[in-house]
Amino acid sequence: MLTALSIRNVVLIEALDLEFGDGLSVLTGETGAGKSILLDSLGLALGARADSGLVRSGEAQASVTATFDAPGVGHRALELLTDNGLEVEAGEPIMIRRLVKADGGSRAFINDQPCSAALLRELGAALVEIHGQHDDRGLLNPRGHRILLDAFGACETATVAVAHGAWRAAEERLIAARAGVEEAARDRDYLTHAVEELSRFAPEAGEEAMLAAERATMQKGARLADDLSVVADCLTGSDGGIARLRQAARRLDRIAGEHPVLTLLLEALDRALIEAGEAEDRLGEAAEALSFDPARLDAMETRLFDLRGLARKHQVQPDDLAALRDDMVGRLASIEGGEAELAALEADVAAKARAYRVAAQALSAQRLAAAERLDAAVAAELAPLKLDAARFRTVVEPLEEGQGAAHGVDRVEFTISTNPGAPFAPLVKVASGGELSRFILALKVALAQQGGADTLIFDEIDRGVGGAVASAIGDRLARLAQSNQILVVTHSPQVAARGAGHMLIAKSSEGTVTRTGVHALDASERREEIARMLSGAQITAEARAQAERLLETQ
């Protein structure tokens, strides 16, 4: 609810501070007093285009501040602020401030936090609905008609939204699976060939290191073979060192008893023979360890070369070839499994699409029933508003195939026919200014309690009517004011008399300076203003009496 409006240096308004209560507040004043300036100021705070022409002559800037009660939990205004990163504490009022410079440019703030004009427009639409003869938002915008009808008819939309989400999620899974199967199928021939090649080769983890080590050993044996042969000849041949040592030992053995030194010599030769025997054993071991088969070495080098070539071909390390083969085998298997999975996913998509269509059709039936009730409710309001020749119809028609969404498969639009036999058409394209305002009022009354902004502003909704029609308008505004804050700019005394609060907009001049001011009227001032509205410039006793009767009967 709008609680306060502060205006500085906007056209004829130098400084103005207004407070508003709940219920129905009326604003009256003579033609040209500045009622439009007041609404333009509020519109500026709610995100309207910032025009430097609004700045009062001689001033550097204009400002408008609008304050609203703290919105309740779940209110669209709170969602907008939270989604845009603006902090508003629970129970804290919303204060919107807009500055416009005389040399162009503007700034906007929400609770002293800078914001964009786009956010201001969204927030303003959530807080206030302004209905005038040139209004193209609110009830005149077909984009909101479906939401209003659903709220009016208490239509079950959540089930359709959930079913639609499940259907789309199933479709996304199917699309992803198809892409995977198609990609795998494109690689089928390559995978088949690669698996066959790797399976024939049968690489093993660690094989490269094993082959490389064995090859190095065999290559070393090939390189040392000649040297080992020479060493063997020197040691073990018929004329080798060991044979000669044994021959010498046998001779010494026969003569060792002849002298102690010979005995010592024989002992040394025996030790040498023992060491030589160990050397002979080591030589044998070395020959065996370094022995090689040329054919085996050639085969080993060929496999090592092929192993490394396969690794380069598949851009992996040689030790990873075995795992790569297993992965390719799995991918080939997934092609067959994926095709089976596709069938299951397609069946799931079809089932969820059917569930969505069933839910959407049930919602369409609810909307058609709600449309009939809404048409009847609006029709009941038209005759008292002098629109008895007009007809209202809520159009609920199916969207084109494939255009269904989370909100269902229907397009909803409010249409009217203003004369018997005339075709139905959108509100804004058919009704005249006065008719349009009254149609909006009839709709708002029929849609009371069905969402929308908490504050409604009607600009000269009673233009061109009087008497019983004006009374009917006042009555309906008062009924709306039971659930909403209503501000109405009016020229009708019948409407003005229904207000819980009454403000007079007046223009005054001091020399060359003209100002627009707003004054909250007390009971006696209010009677005088309504009398003026009844009689014109010359207020008569009869007008005062009639004003008194209007006030008493409300």
Side-chain angles (χ1 to χ4, degrees), residues 161-187:
V162 170
H164 182 267
W167 176 26
R168 291 306 182 206
E171 283 189 325
E172 289 175 3
R173 290 193 295 271
L174 176 59
I175 290 170
R178 278 177 176 162
V181 169
E182 289 172 0
E183 181 180 0
R186 287 194 297 268
D187 296 338

mmCIF file with all atom_site columns, all heavy atoms in Angstrom, residues 161-187:
data_model
loop_
_atom_site.group_PDB
_atom_site.id
_atom_site.type_symbol
_atom_site.label_atom_id
_atom_site.label_alt_id
_atom_site.label_comp_id
_atom_site.label_asym_id
_atom_site.label_entity_id
_atom_site.label_seq_id
_atom_site.pdbx_PDB_ins_code
_atom_site.Cartn_x
_atom_site.Cartn_y
_atom_site.Cartn_z
_atom_site.occupancy
_atom_site.B_iso_or_equiv
_atom_site.pdbx_formal_charge
_atom_site.auth_seq_id
_atom_site.auth_comp_id
_atom_site.auth_asym_id
_atom_site.auth_atom_id
_atom_site.pdbx_PDB_model_num
ATOM 1   N N   . ALA A 1 161 ? 2.371  -27.649 -14.691 1.00 0.00 ? 161 ALA A N   1
ATOM 2   C CA  . ALA A 1 161 ? 3.761  -27.201 -14.672 1.00 0.00 ? 161 ALA A CA  1
ATOM 3   C C   . ALA A 1 161 ? 4.701  -28.357 -14.337 1.00 0.00 ? 161 ALA A C   1
ATOM 4   O O   . ALA A 1 161 ? 5.756  -28.527 -14.965 1.00 0.00 ? 161 ALA A O   1
ATOM 5   C CB  . ALA A 1 161 ? 3.931  -26.065 -13.668 1.00 0.00 ? 161 ALA A CB  1
ATOM 6   N N   . VAL A 1 162 ? 4.306  -29.178 -13.346 1.00 0.00 ? 162 VAL A N   1
ATOM 7   C CA  . VAL A 1 162 ? 5.135  -30.325 -12.970 1.00 0.00 ? 162 VAL A CA  1
ATOM 8   C C   . VAL A 1 162 ? 5.200  -31.328 -14.116 1.00 0.00 ? 162 VAL A C   1
ATOM 9   O O   . VAL A 1 162 ? 6.274  -31.850 -14.451 1.00 0.00 ? 162 VAL A O   1
ATOM 10  C CB  . VAL A 1 162 ? 4.588  -30.992 -11.694 1.00 0.00 ? 162 VAL A CB  1
ATOM 11  C CG1 . VAL A 1 162 ? 5.297  -32.313 -11.431 1.00 0.00 ? 162 VAL A CG1 1
ATOM 12  C CG2 . VAL A 1 162 ? 4.757  -30.056 -10.503 1.00 0.00 ? 162 VAL A CG2 1
ATOM 13  N N   . ALA A 1 163 ? 4.053  -31.609 -14.739 1.00 0.00 ? 163 ALA A N   1
ATOM 14  C CA  . ALA A 1 163 ? 4.019  -32.564 -15.856 1.00 0.00 ? 163 ALA A CA  1
ATOM 15  C C   . ALA A 1 163 ? 4.851  -32.054 -17.029 1.00 0.00 ? 163 ALA A C   1
ATOM 16  O O   . ALA A 1 163 ? 5.560  -32.832 -17.686 1.00 0.00 ? 163 ALA A O   1
ATOM 17  C CB  . ALA A 1 163 ? 2.577  -32.810 -16.298 1.00 0.00 ? 163 ALA A CB  1
ATOM 18  N N   . HIS A 1 164 ? 4.775  -30.750 -17.283 1.00 0.00 ? 164 HIS A N   1
ATOM 19  C CA  . HIS A 1 164 ? 5.560  -30.182 -18.381 1.00 0.00 ? 164 HIS A CA  1
ATOM 20  C C   . HIS A 1 164 ? 7.054  -30.300 -18.084 1.00 0.00 ? 164 HIS A C   1
ATOM 21  O O   . HIS A 1 164 ? 7.860  -30.652 -18.959 1.00 0.00 ? 164 HIS A O   1
ATOM 22  C CB  . HIS A 1 164 ? 5.176  -28.714 -18.585 1.00 0.00 ? 164 HIS A CB  1
ATOM 23  C CG  . HIS A 1 164 ? 5.892  -28.064 -19.730 1.00 0.00 ? 164 HIS A CG  1
ATOM 24  N ND1 . HIS A 1 164 ? 7.073  -27.362 -19.569 1.00 0.00 ? 164 HIS A ND1 1
ATOM 25  C CD2 . HIS A 1 164 ? 5.612  -28.023 -21.056 1.00 0.00 ? 164 HIS A CD2 1
ATOM 26  C CE1 . HIS A 1 164 ? 7.472  -26.914 -20.734 1.00 0.00 ? 164 HIS A CE1 1
ATOM 27  N NE2 . HIS A 1 164 ? 6.617  -27.299 -21.662 1.00 0.00 ? 164 HIS A NE2 1
ATOM 28  N N   . GLY A 1 165 ? 7.440  -30.010 -16.830 1.00 0.00 ? 165 GLY A N   1
ATOM 29  C CA  . GLY A 1 165 ? 8.850  -30.121 -16.463 1.00 0.00 ? 165 GLY A CA  1
ATOM 30  C C   . GLY A 1 165 ? 9.364  -31.549 -16.601 1.00 0.00 ? 165 GLY A C   1
ATOM 31  O O   . GLY A 1 165 ? 10.473 -31.779 -17.094 1.00 0.00 ? 165 GLY A O   1
ATOM 32  N N   . ALA A 1 166 ? 8.546  -32.536 -16.195 1.00 0.00 ? 166 ALA A N   1
ATOM 33  C CA  . ALA A 1 166 ? 8.943  -33.935 -16.310 1.00 0.00 ? 166 ALA A CA  1
ATOM 34  C C   . ALA A 1 166 ? 9.074  -34.345 -17.774 1.00 0.00 ? 166 ALA A C   1
ATOM 35  O O   . ALA A 1 166 ? 10.000 -35.085 -18.151 1.00 0.00 ? 166 ALA A O   1
ATOM 36  C CB  . ALA A 1 166 ? 7.918  -34.823 -15.603 1.00 0.00 ? 166 ALA A CB  1
ATOM 37  N N   . TRP A 1 167 ? 8.160  -33.865 -18.604 1.00 0.00 ? 167 TRP A N   1
ATOM 38  C CA  . TRP A 1 167 ? 8.208  -34.174 -20.033 1.00 0.00 ? 167 TRP A CA  1
ATOM 39  C C   . TRP A 1 167 ? 9.469  -33.600 -20.672 1.00 0.00 ? 167 TRP A C   1
ATOM 40  O O   . TRP A 1 167 ? 10.200 -34.297 -21.377 1.00 0.00 ? 167 TRP A O   1
ATOM 41  C CB  . TRP A 1 167 ? 6.942  -33.623 -20.692 1.00 0.00 ? 167 TRP A CB  1
ATOM 42  C CG  . TRP A 1 167 ? 6.881  -33.790 -22.195 1.00 0.00 ? 167 TRP A CG  1
ATOM 43  C CD1 . TRP A 1 167 ? 7.500  -34.748 -22.950 1.00 0.00 ? 167 TRP A CD1 1
ATOM 44  C CD2 . TRP A 1 167 ? 6.162  -32.960 -23.109 1.00 0.00 ? 167 TRP A CD2 1
ATOM 45  N NE1 . TRP A 1 167 ? 7.212  -34.569 -24.278 1.00 0.00 ? 167 TRP A NE1 1
ATOM 46  C CE2 . TRP A 1 167 ? 6.391  -33.494 -24.409 1.00 0.00 ? 167 TRP A CE2 1
ATOM 47  C CE3 . TRP A 1 167 ? 5.342  -31.842 -22.955 1.00 0.00 ? 167 TRP A CE3 1
ATOM 48  C CZ2 . TRP A 1 167 ? 5.827  -32.903 -25.534 1.00 0.00 ? 167 TRP A CZ2 1
ATOM 49  C CZ3 . TRP A 1 167 ? 4.772  -31.270 -24.087 1.00 0.00 ? 167 TRP A CZ3 1
ATOM 50  C CH2 . TRP A 1 167 ? 5.013  -31.795 -25.364 1.00 0.00 ? 167 TRP A CH2 1
ATOM 51  N N   . ARG A 1 168 ? 9.758  -32.326 -20.395 1.00 0.00 ? 168 ARG A N   1
ATOM 52  C CA  . ARG A 1 168 ? 10.941 -31.701 -20.980 1.00 0.00 ? 168 ARG A CA  1
ATOM 53  C C   . ARG A 1 168 ? 12.223 -32.372 -20.488 1.00 0.00 ? 168 ARG A C   1
ATOM 54  O O   . ARG A 1 168 ? 13.183 -32.548 -21.249 1.00 0.00 ? 168 ARG A O   1
ATOM 55  C CB  . ARG A 1 168 ? 10.970 -30.207 -20.648 1.00 0.00 ? 168 ARG A CB  1
ATOM 56  C CG  . ARG A 1 168 ? 9.876  -29.408 -21.353 1.00 0.00 ? 168 ARG A CG  1
ATOM 57  C CD  . ARG A 1 168 ? 9.912  -29.623 -22.835 1.00 0.00 ? 168 ARG A CD  1
ATOM 58  N NE  . ARG A 1 168 ? 8.910  -28.843 -23.551 1.00 0.00 ? 168 ARG A NE  1
ATOM 59  C CZ  . ARG A 1 168 ? 8.397  -29.185 -24.716 1.00 0.00 ? 168 ARG A CZ  1
ATOM 60  N NH1 . ARG A 1 168 ? 8.779  -30.312 -25.290 1.00 0.00 ? 168 ARG A NH1 1
ATOM 61  N NH2 . ARG A 1 168 ? 7.501  -28.420 -25.316 1.00 0.00 ? 168 ARG A NH2 1
ATOM 62  N N   . ALA A 1 169 ? 12.257 -32.751 -19.208 1.00 0.00 ? 169 ALA A N   1
ATOM 63  C CA  . ALA A 1 169 ? 13.446 -33.417 -18.678 1.00 0.00 ? 169 ALA A CA  1
ATOM 64  C C   . ALA A 1 169 ? 13.655 -34.763 -19.367 1.00 0.00 ? 169 ALA A C   1
ATOM 65  O O   . ALA A 1 169 ? 14.793 -35.146 -19.698 1.00 0.00 ? 169 ALA A O   1
ATOM 66  C CB  . ALA A 1 169 ? 13.307 -33.610 -17.167 1.00 0.00 ? 169 ALA A CB  1
ATOM 67  N N   . ALA A 1 170 ? 12.560 -35.497 -19.607 1.00 0.00 ? 170 ALA A N   1
ATOM 68  C CA  . ALA A 1 170 ? 12.661 -36.772 -20.303 1.00 0.00 ? 170 ALA A CA  1
ATOM 69  C C   . ALA A 1 170 ? 13.152 -36.565 -21.738 1.00 0.00 ? 170 ALA A C   1
ATOM 70  O O   . ALA A 1 170 ? 13.961 -37.355 -22.249 1.00 0.00 ? 170 ALA A O   1
ATOM 71  C CB  . ALA A 1 170 ? 11.313 -37.482 -20.300 1.00 0.00 ? 170 ALA A CB  1
ATOM 72  N N   . GLU A 1 171 ? 12.672 -35.523 -22.385 1.00 0.00 ? 171 GLU A N   1
ATOM 73  C CA  . GLU A 1 171 ? 13.127 -35.221 -23.749 1.00 0.00 ? 171 GLU A CA  1
ATOM 74  C C   . GLU A 1 171 ? 14.616 -34.904 -23.779 1.00 0.00 ? 171 GLU A C   1
ATOM 75  O O   . GLU A 1 171 ? 15.341 -35.312 -24.687 1.00 0.00 ? 171 GLU A O   1
ATOM 76  C CB  . GLU A 1 171 ? 12.327 -34.050 -24.316 1.00 0.00 ? 171 GLU A CB  1
ATOM 77  C CG  . GLU A 1 171 ? 10.935 -34.411 -24.787 1.00 0.00 ? 171 GLU A CG  1
ATOM 78  C CD  . GLU A 1 171 ? 10.272 -33.280 -25.544 1.00 0.00 ? 171 GLU A CD  1
ATOM 79  O OE1 . GLU A 1 171 ? 10.514 -32.124 -25.173 1.00 0.00 ? 171 GLU A OE1 1
ATOM 80  O OE2 . GLU A 1 171 ? 9.517  -33.560 -26.494 1.00 0.00 ? 171 GLU A OE2 1
ATOM 81  N N   . GLU A 1 172 ? 15.085 -34.140 -22.773 1.00 0.00 ? 172 GLU A N   1
ATOM 82  C CA  . GLU A 1 172 ? 16.510 -33.799 -22.714 1.00 0.00 ? 172 GLU A CA  1
ATOM 83  C C   . GLU A 1 172 ? 17.356 -35.057 -22.530 1.00 0.00 ? 172 GLU A C   1
ATOM 84  O O   . GLU A 1 172 ? 18.430 -35.190 -23.131 1.00 0.00 ? 172 GLU A O   1
ATOM 85  C CB  . GLU A 1 172 ? 16.762 -32.804 -21.589 1.00 0.00 ? 172 GLU A CB  1
ATOM 86  C CG  . GLU A 1 172 ? 16.210 -31.409 -21.881 1.00 0.00 ? 172 GLU A CG  1
ATOM 87  C CD  . GLU A 1 172 ? 16.364 -30.469 -20.700 1.00 0.00 ? 172 GLU A CD  1
ATOM 88  O OE1 . GLU A 1 172 ? 16.952 -30.899 -19.682 1.00 0.00 ? 172 GLU A OE1 1
ATOM 89  O OE2 . GLU A 1 172 ? 15.903 -29.316 -20.792 1.00 0.00 ? 172 GLU A OE2 1
ATOM 90  N N   . ARG A 1 173 ? 16.884 -35.985 -21.682 1.00 0.00 ? 173 ARG A N   1
ATOM 91  C CA  . ARG A 1 173 ? 17.620 -37.245 -21.519 1.00 0.00 ? 173 ARG A CA  1
ATOM 92  C C   . ARG A 1 173 ? 17.662 -38.031 -22.820 1.00 0.00 ? 173 ARG A C   1
ATOM 93  O O   . ARG A 1 173 ? 18.697 -38.621 -23.178 1.00 0.00 ? 173 ARG A O   1
ATOM 94  C CB  . ARG A 1 173 ? 16.976 -38.083 -20.409 1.00 0.00 ? 173 ARG A CB  1
ATOM 95  C CG  . ARG A 1 173 ? 17.163 -37.512 -19.012 1.00 0.00 ? 173 ARG A CG  1
ATOM 96  C CD  . ARG A 1 173 ? 16.782 -38.530 -17.946 1.00 0.00 ? 173 ARG A CD  1
ATOM 97  N NE  . ARG A 1 173 ? 15.372 -38.869 -17.981 1.00 0.00 ? 173 ARG A NE  1
ATOM 98  C CZ  . ARG A 1 173 ? 14.424 -38.223 -17.307 1.00 0.00 ? 173 ARG A CZ  1
ATOM 99  N NH1 . ARG A 1 173 ? 14.749 -37.169 -16.559 1.00 0.00 ? 173 ARG A NH1 1
ATOM 100 N NH2 . ARG A 1 173 ? 13.159 -38.595 -17.378 1.00 0.00 ? 173 ARG A NH2 1
ATOM 101 N N   . LEU A 1 174 ? 16.553 -38.051 -23.535 1.00 0.00 ? 174 LEU A N   1
ATOM 102 C CA  . LEU A 1 174 ? 16.499 -38.774 -24.805 1.00 0.00 ? 174 LEU A CA  1
ATOM 103 C C   . LEU A 1 174 ? 17.437 -38.139 -25.827 1.00 0.00 ? 174 LEU A C   1
ATOM 104 O O   . LEU A 1 174 ? 18.171 -38.836 -26.538 1.00 0.00 ? 174 LEU A O   1
ATOM 105 C CB  . LEU A 1 174 ? 15.061 -38.785 -25.332 1.00 0.00 ? 174 LEU A CB  1
ATOM 106 C CG  . LEU A 1 174 ? 14.847 -39.416 -26.715 1.00 0.00 ? 174 LEU A CG  1
ATOM 107 C CD1 . LEU A 1 174 ? 15.305 -40.868 -26.717 1.00 0.00 ? 174 LEU A CD1 1
ATOM 108 C CD2 . LEU A 1 174 ? 13.379 -39.300 -27.134 1.00 0.00 ? 174 LEU A CD2 1
ATOM 109 N N   . ILE A 1 175 ? 17.439 -36.820 -25.894 1.00 0.00 ? 175 ILE A N   1
ATOM 110 C CA  . ILE A 1 175 ? 18.304 -36.127 -26.847 1.00 0.00 ? 175 ILE A CA  1
ATOM 111 C C   . ILE A 1 175 ? 19.772 -36.422 -26.549 1.00 0.00 ? 175 ILE A C   1
ATOM 112 O O   . ILE A 1 175 ? 20.576 -36.694 -27.461 1.00 0.00 ? 175 ILE A O   1
ATOM 113 C CB  . ILE A 1 175 ? 18.034 -34.606 -26.797 1.00 0.00 ? 175 ILE A CB  1
ATOM 114 C CG1 . ILE A 1 175 ? 16.646 -34.296 -27.390 1.00 0.00 ? 175 ILE A CG1 1
ATOM 115 C CG2 . ILE A 1 175 ? 19.110 -33.832 -27.553 1.00 0.00 ? 175 ILE A CG2 1
ATOM 116 C CD1 . ILE A 1 175 ? 16.191 -32.865 -27.169 1.00 0.00 ? 175 ILE A CD1 1
ATOM 117 N N   . ALA A 1 176 ? 20.138 -36.381 -25.259 1.00 0.00 ? 176 ALA A N   1
ATOM 118 C CA  . ALA A 1 176 ? 21.525 -36.661 -24.873 1.00 0.00 ? 176 ALA A CA  1
ATOM 119 C C   . ALA A 1 176 ? 21.903 -38.101 -25.216 1.00 0.00 ? 176 ALA A C   1
ATOM 120 O O   . ALA A 1 176 ? 22.999 -38.369 -25.719 1.00 0.00 ? 176 ALA A O   1
ATOM 121 C CB  . ALA A 1 176 ? 21.712 -36.397 -23.383 1.00 0.00 ? 176 ALA A CB  1
ATOM 122 N N   . ALA A 1 177 ? 20.980 -39.048 -24.958 1.00 0.00 ? 177 ALA A N   1
ATOM 123 C CA  . ALA A 1 177 ? 21.265 -40.453 -25.259 1.00 0.00 ? 177 ALA A CA  1
ATOM 124 C C   . ALA A 1 177 ? 21.408 -40.666 -26.758 1.00 0.00 ? 177 ALA A C   1
ATOM 125 O O   . ALA A 1 177 ? 22.289 -41.411 -27.208 1.00 0.00 ? 177 ALA A O   1
ATOM 126 C CB  . ALA A 1 177 ? 20.156 -41.332 -24.695 1.00 0.00 ? 177 ALA A CB  1
ATOM 127 N N   . ARG A 1 178 ? 20.539 -40.037 -27.534 1.00 0.00 ? 178 ARG A N   1
ATOM 128 C CA  . ARG A 1 178 ? 20.640 -40.171 -28.988 1.00 0.00 ? 178 ARG A CA  1
ATOM 129 C C   . ARG A 1 178 ? 21.971 -39.638 -29.496 1.00 0.00 ? 178 ARG A C   1
ATOM 130 O O   . ARG A 1 178 ? 22.610 -40.254 -30.365 1.00 0.00 ? 178 ARG A O   1
ATOM 131 C CB  . ARG A 1 178 ? 19.493 -39.410 -29.652 1.00 0.00 ? 178 ARG A CB  1
ATOM 132 C CG  . ARG A 1 178 ? 18.180 -40.184 -29.704 1.00 0.00 ? 178 ARG A CG  1
ATOM 133 C CD  . ARG A 1 178 ? 17.086 -39.345 -30.293 1.00 0.00 ? 178 ARG A CD  1
ATOM 134 N NE  . ARG A 1 178 ? 15.842 -40.079 -30.440 1.00 0.00 ? 178 ARG A NE  1
ATOM 135 C CZ  . ARG A 1 178 ? 14.662 -39.521 -30.600 1.00 0.00 ? 178 ARG A CZ  1
ATOM 136 N NH1 . ARG A 1 178 ? 14.557 -38.187 -30.625 1.00 0.00 ? 178 ARG A NH1 1
ATOM 137 N NH2 . ARG A 1 178 ? 13.568 -40.261 -30.714 1.00 0.00 ? 178 ARG A NH2 1
ATOM 138 N N   . ALA A 1 179 ? 22.383 -38.512 -28.966 1.00 0.00 ? 179 ALA A N   1
ATOM 139 C CA  . ALA A 1 179 ? 23.659 -37.937 -29.394 1.00 0.00 ? 179 ALA A CA  1
ATOM 140 C C   . ALA A 1 179 ? 24.807 -38.891 -29.077 1.00 0.00 ? 179 ALA A C   1
ATOM 141 O O   . ALA A 1 179 ? 25.720 -39.085 -29.892 1.00 0.00 ? 179 ALA A O   1
ATOM 142 C CB  . ALA A 1 179 ? 23.876 -36.586 -28.706 1.00 0.00 ? 179 ALA A CB  1
ATOM 143 N N   . GLY A 1 180 ? 24.744 -39.521 -27.885 1.00 0.00 ? 180 GLY A N   1
ATOM 144 C CA  . GLY A 1 180 ? 25.791 -40.457 -27.520 1.00 0.00 ? 180 GLY A CA  1
ATOM 145 C C   . GLY A 1 180 ? 25.814 -41.681 -28.419 1.00 0.00 ? 180 GLY A C   1
ATOM 146 O O   . GLY A 1 180 ? 26.880 -42.127 -28.852 1.00 0.00 ? 180 GLY A O   1
ATOM 147 N N   . VAL A 1 181 ? 24.636 -42.220 -28.710 1.00 0.00 ? 181 VAL A N   1
ATOM 148 C CA  . VAL A 1 181 ? 24.560 -43.400 -29.576 1.00 0.00 ? 181 VAL A CA  1
ATOM 149 C C   . VAL A 1 181 ? 25.007 -43.052 -30.989 1.00 0.00 ? 181 VAL A C   1
ATOM 150 O O   . VAL A 1 181 ? 25.734 -43.816 -31.637 1.00 0.00 ? 181 VAL A O   1
ATOM 151 C CB  . VAL A 1 181 ? 23.131 -43.970 -29.575 1.00 0.00 ? 181 VAL A CB  1
ATOM 152 C CG1 . VAL A 1 181 ? 22.963 -45.021 -30.670 1.00 0.00 ? 181 VAL A CG1 1
ATOM 153 C CG2 . VAL A 1 181 ? 22.819 -44.568 -28.212 1.00 0.00 ? 181 VAL A CG2 1
ATOM 154 N N   . GLU A 1 182 ? 24.586 -41.900 -31.489 1.00 0.00 ? 182 GLU A N   1
ATOM 155 C CA  . GLU A 1 182 ? 24.979 -41.501 -32.844 1.00 0.00 ? 182 GLU A CA  1
ATOM 156 C C   . GLU A 1 182 ? 26.482 -41.300 -32.940 1.00 0.00 ? 182 GLU A C   1
ATOM 157 O O   . GLU A 1 182 ? 27.106 -41.688 -33.925 1.00 0.00 ? 182 GLU A O   1
ATOM 158 C CB  . GLU A 1 182 ? 24.237 -40.218 -33.230 1.00 0.00 ? 182 GLU A CB  1
ATOM 159 C CG  . GLU A 1 182 ? 22.746 -40.437 -33.482 1.00 0.00 ? 182 GLU A CG  1
ATOM 160 C CD  . GLU A 1 182 ? 22.002 -39.124 -33.672 1.00 0.00 ? 182 GLU A CD  1
ATOM 161 O OE1 . GLU A 1 182 ? 22.667 -38.066 -33.610 1.00 0.00 ? 182 GLU A OE1 1
ATOM 162 O OE2 . GLU A 1 182 ? 20.766 -39.164 -33.870 1.00 0.00 ? 182 GLU A OE2 1
ATOM 163 N N   . GLU A 1 183 ? 27.053 -40.701 -31.911 1.00 0.00 ? 183 GLU A N   1
ATOM 164 C CA  . GLU A 1 183 ? 28.507 -40.508 -31.925 1.00 0.00 ? 183 GLU A CA  1
ATOM 165 C C   . GLU A 1 183 ? 29.223 -41.852 -31.887 1.00 0.00 ? 183 GLU A C   1
ATOM 166 O O   . GLU A 1 183 ? 30.196 -42.079 -32.615 1.00 0.00 ? 183 GLU A O   1
ATOM 167 C CB  . GLU A 1 183 ? 28.918 -39.665 -30.723 1.00 0.00 ? 183 GLU A CB  1
ATOM 168 C CG  . GLU A 1 183 ? 30.422 -39.395 -30.663 1.00 0.00 ? 183 GLU A CG  1
ATOM 169 C CD  . GLU A 1 183 ? 30.816 -38.563 -29.467 1.00 0.00 ? 183 GLU A CD  1
ATOM 170 O OE1 . GLU A 1 183 ? 29.919 -38.191 -28.676 1.00 0.00 ? 183 GLU A OE1 1
ATOM 171 O OE2 . GLU A 1 183 ? 32.017 -38.293 -29.311 1.00 0.00 ? 183 GLU A OE2 1
ATOM 172 N N   . ALA A 1 184 ? 28.730 -42.754 -31.020 1.00 0.00 ? 184 ALA A N   1
ATOM 173 C CA  . ALA A 1 184 ? 29.347 -44.077 -30.945 1.00 0.00 ? 184 ALA A CA  1
ATOM 174 C C   . ALA A 1 184 ? 29.168 -44.842 -32.248 1.00 0.00 ? 184 ALA A C   1
ATOM 175 O O   . ALA A 1 184 ? 30.080 -45.534 -32.708 1.00 0.00 ? 184 ALA A O   1
ATOM 176 C CB  . ALA A 1 184 ? 28.741 -44.861 -29.783 1.00 0.00 ? 184 ALA A CB  1
ATOM 177 N N   . ALA A 1 185 ? 27.985 -44.717 -32.869 1.00 0.00 ? 185 ALA A N   1
ATOM 178 C CA  . ALA A 1 185 ? 27.722 -45.425 -34.123 1.00 0.00 ? 185 ALA A CA  1
ATOM 179 C C   . ALA A 1 185 ? 28.647 -44.930 -35.240 1.00 0.00 ? 185 ALA A C   1
ATOM 180 O O   . ALA A 1 185 ? 29.096 -45.713 -36.075 1.00 0.00 ? 185 ALA A O   1
ATOM 181 C CB  . ALA A 1 185 ? 26.262 -45.255 -34.522 1.00 0.00 ? 185 ALA A CB  1
ATOM 182 N N   . ARG A 1 186 ? 28.922 -43.628 -35.228 1.00 0.00 ? 186 ARG A N   1
ATOM 183 C CA  . ARG A 1 186 ? 29.856 -43.095 -36.231 1.00 0.00 ? 186 ARG A CA  1
ATOM 184 C C   . ARG A 1 186 ? 31.239 -43.704 -36.067 1.00 0.00 ? 186 ARG A C   1
ATOM 185 O O   . ARG A 1 186 ? 31.998 -43.832 -37.032 1.00 0.00 ? 186 ARG A O   1
ATOM 186 C CB  . ARG A 1 186 ? 29.923 -41.572 -36.112 1.00 0.00 ? 186 ARG A CB  1
ATOM 187 C CG  . ARG A 1 186 ? 28.700 -40.839 -36.618 1.00 0.00 ? 186 ARG A CG  1
ATOM 188 C CD  . ARG A 1 186 ? 28.974 -39.352 -36.786 1.00 0.00 ? 186 ARG A CD  1
ATOM 189 N NE  . ARG A 1 186 ? 29.284 -38.716 -35.512 1.00 0.00 ? 186 ARG A NE  1
ATOM 190 C CZ  . ARG A 1 186 ? 28.385 -38.150 -34.718 1.00 0.00 ? 186 ARG A CZ  1
ATOM 191 N NH1 . ARG A 1 186 ? 27.109 -38.180 -35.064 1.00 0.00 ? 186 ARG A NH1 1
ATOM 192 N NH2 . ARG A 1 186 ? 28.749 -37.589 -33.591 1.00 0.00 ? 186 ARG A NH2 1
ATOM 193 N N   . ASP A 1 187 ? 31.582 -44.106 -34.849 1.00 0.00 ? 187 ASP A N   1
ATOM 194 C CA  . ASP A 1 187 ? 32.910 -44.663 -34.576 1.00 0.00 ? 187 ASP A CA  1
ATOM 195 C C   . ASP A 1 187 ? 32.914 -46.189 -34.584 1.00 0.00 ? 187 ASP A C   1
ATOM 196 O O   . ASP A 1 187 ? 33.926 -46.817 -34.239 1.00 0.00 ? 187 ASP A O   1
ATOM 197 C CB  . ASP A 1 187 ? 33.395 -44.177 -33.197 1.00 0.00 ? 187 ASP A CB  1
ATOM 198 C CG  . ASP A 1 187 ? 33.596 -42.665 -33.164 1.00 0.00 ? 187 ASP A CG  1
ATOM 199 O OD1 . ASP A 1 187 ? 33.764 -42.083 -34.247 1.00 0.00 ? 187 ASP A OD1 1
ATOM 200 O OD2 . ASP A 1 187 ? 33.580 -42.085 -32.061 1.00 0.00 ? 187 ASP A OD2 1
#
